[in-house]
Amino acid sequence: MPGFGTTKFPMKDYVSKMEFTTYEFFIIISNDRFTENDAKAAKEIASMKKKFYFVRSQIDIDFPVFTNQGIDVDRMRELDKLKQEIGSGLMEAGISEPIIFLISSLYLNEFDFSRLKKTLLKSLDGIKKDVLLMSLPSTTVKIVEPKRAQLKKRVWMWAIFSGAVGAVPVPGLSVAVDLGILVAAIIDFRKSLGLDDASLQRLANVSMKPVEFLKAEVRTPLVGEINEEFVKQMLLRSSIVAVSAVEMALNFIPIIGSVFGAVSSFGMTYKLLTDALDELVDNAQRLVKVAFATDPGHPQ
């Protein structure tokens, strides 16, 4: 949202104009000191029984020495001291027990970024939590594991859809749809786990490792070009292909063909996507460990 307390967005009209009631939670960000207007906004949010968090950004500028050192007593002491100072100022302004995070957008694996991500995830449920989780960069193993659990739910969704199509007694329809499902799902899994080219480049920037080095650690053909021909080769290497052949033969038999088609399509899609997800997760976890192998302060 735009900043408040300006002539264009005066504080007296800000809450109603920005429709605060429509939001799940709020992040109040400052790269310097939190102001009286920040405290006023927090009080308005608190009065609506909604959650809010204070985020102090650009910590790397204030404490550049922290970005060149591992976690030690002095570093933690200074960060705790800053957090206490910020908290004291907010409590004096009338905010009880403010929740504060110190972050740097240039160092996603440093400071309070990991704790901030966990806190935001706990603030949501259902599809909103799913969307936020998948949008987070896979910079720790602890982020990859929850993603696996959420993506496993999508495996069930895709498999059920595949089974529904498999029940339709139209020769070749189930196979054609299954191929499309598998292609779309694998590409979705890969992007969600941070194994696509754009995500790998972002990880390289954060970890300060060459992107070619990181790509060399990804040991699965699932990060290459994924199309229907690729999926067909996956099917040919799987014992499930025999079941698909029987499904096509039974398509012409009423009822029996529909039941067998639904079951076999569900099973084929579920098995192949589960195997693909496990393979991609293993690679994502290894990639994170390799990316931050020399960083003793990285939260695995």
Side-chain angles (χ1 to χ4, degrees):
M1 295 183 289
F4 43 72
T6 63
T7 54
K8 190 173 181 180
F9 295 100
M11 195 64 210
K12 64 183 181 68
D13 301 322
Y14 193 83
V15 173
S16 59
K17 185 176 291 187
M18 294 297 109
E19 300 180 334
F20 272 30
T21 57
T22 63
Y23 295 94
E24 298 290 329
F25 58 80
F26 297 79
I27 305 173
I28 303 173
I29 305 176
S30 174
N31 63 352
D32 193 4
R33 296 179 180 275
F34 289 101
T35 67
E36 182 181 354
N37 281 334
D38 294 325
K40 288 180 179 179
K43 290 177 184 177
E44 290 285 352
I45 297 167
S47 70
M48 292 183 281
K49 307 299 182 184
K50 292 180 178 287
K51 296 178 180 178
F52 58 92
Y53 310 104
F54 291 96
V55 172
R56 175 66 161 77
S57 64
Q58 298 186 13
I59 295 300
D60 57 297
I61 294 178
D62 291 336
F63 301 97
V65 67
F66 289 169
T67 63
N68 299 316
Q69 297 177 351
I71 292 179
D72 54 34
V73 176
D74 290 338
R75 169 181 174 170
M76 295 306 297
R77 183 184 297 118
E78 289 300 316
L79 290 173
D80 287 341
K81 181 180 177 182
L82 175 60
K83 198 172 294 185
Q84 289 172 6
E85 289 176 355
I86 294 173
S88 296
L90 290 171
M91 285 188 284
E92 287 178 7
I95 307 300
S96 61
E97 300 182 357
I99 303 175
I100 303 163
F101 300 91
L102 309 179
I103 70 168
S104 165
S105 60
L106 298 181
Y107 299 89
L108 300 184
N109 62 315
E110 291 279 353
F111 310 111
D112 288 333
F113 237 124
S114 179
R115 190 169 67 91
L116 175 60
K117 289 187 286 189
K118 292 177 184 177
T119 301
L120 298 185
L121 287 173
K122 290 179 181 178
S123 300
L124 297 173
D125 54 22
I127 192 171
K128 294 176 182 177
K129 181 176 182 178
D130 182 30
V131 171
L132 176 60
L133 177 62
M134 293 308 150
S135 71
L136 294 175
S138 299
T139 54
T140 68
V141 172
K142 291 181 180 178
I143 286 294
V144 175
E145 275 305 319
K147 285 188 176 185
R148 184 211 293 266
Q150 289 298 110
L151 291 173
K152 192 64 180 287
K153 295 178 182 178
R154 297 187 188 182
V155 170
W156 279 98
M157 178 190 71
W158 286 118
I160 290 171
F161 178 70
S162 174
V165 174
V168 180
V170 177
L173 175 63
S174 176
V175 174
V177 172
D178 286 345
L179 290 175
I181 287 175
L182 292 169
V183 169
I186 292 171
I187 292 175
D188 176 47
F189 294 170
R190 187 172 65 185
K191 183 176 181 180
S192 297
L193 291 166
L195 294 173
D196 60 305
D197 287 343
S199 297
L200 288 172
Q201 184 59 62
R202 285 192 292 271
L203 181 61
N205 295 340
V206 171
S207 64
M208 298 183 182
K209 298 278 197 321
V211 69
E212 294 78 11
F213 170 78
L214 297 180
K215 287 183 176 181
E217 294 298 323
V218 181
R219 302 160 191 170
T220 171
L222 295 175
V223 296
E225 182 179 1
I226 305 296
N227 51 36
E228 291 191 2
E229 187 58 38
F230 178 88
V231 172
K232 286 179 183 179
Q233 294 302 315
M234 289 178 61
L235 289 170
L236 290 174
R237 292 191 296 269
S238 171
S239 59
I240 301 175
V241 69
V243 179
S244 296
V246 175
E247 176 189 343
M248 293 186 69
L250 292 176
N251 266 330
F252 297 97
I253 303 176
I255 302 177
I256 295 177
S258 294
V259 173
F260 187 87
V263 173
S264 65
S265 290
F266 173 90
M268 180 189 72
T269 302
Y270 181 83
K271 177 67 166 62
L272 286 179
L273 288 185
T274 298
D275 290 347
L277 177 58
D278 289 343
E279 187 172 333
L280 288 169
V281 167
D282 289 344
N283 276 269
Q285 291 176 330
R286 181 174 62 254
L287 188 62
V288 169
K289 292 176 181 178
V290 169
F292 300 104
T294 59
D295 182 359
H298 182 66
Q300 297 292 333

